[in-house]
Amino acid sequence: MTRDDPKQVVKLVAVEDTQEAFAIKTALESEGIECQVVGDLLDASLGTLKTIPAEVWVHRADLERAQQLLQALRHRPSG
C-alpha cells in the first residue's frame, strides 16, 4: 500500500473520552464515512486512568470530508 493509497487508514482525531470517540464515529458513519475507534479497550483495561486517548481512524480518501464534519460537530451550538 503506497502512502497516497485512498484505502490507507489515517488518524482523524484523538480524544480523551471514549464516549466522545464513539459519538464521532456514529456521526461520521451517518454521513457514509467508514471509520474505526482505536484504543477504547485500552481505556477500559486501565480503569479510571486517562493517559491513553481513543483515536478515530478513517480512510485517506475520506479524511478531508471527515475533518470538515468533525469541525462542524465541534462548533455546533449545544442545547
Side-chain angles (χ1 to χ4, degrees):
M1 199 177 312
T2 66
R3 184 177 178 154
D4 295 326
D5 185 343
K7 287 291 187 184
Q8 178 185 18
V9 290
V10 294
K11 182 172 66 174
L12 170 64
V13 67
V15 294
E16 291 186 24
D17 183 358
T18 302
Q19 289 180 332
E20 180 182 0
F22 279 100
I24 292 168
K25 180 181 190 289
T26 299
L28 293 175
E29 288 179 338
S30 73
E31 295 293 326
I33 296 176
E34 291 182 46
C35 56
Q36 182 67 40
V37 174
V38 177
D40 57 313
L41 297 178
L42 292 174
D43 182 48
S45 69
L46 293 174
T48 58
L49 293 176
K50 292 291 185 180
T51 57
I52 301 173
E55 300 173 346
V56 180
W57 288 65
V58 299
H59 289 286
R60 181 175 295 285
D62 295 325
L63 181 61
E64 186 176 338
R65 186 163 164 249
Q67 288 170 330
Q68 292 170 351
L69 289 168
L70 179 60
Q71 184 176 7
L73 281 172
R74 289 187 164 172
H75 289 93
R76 181 184 301 167
S78 59

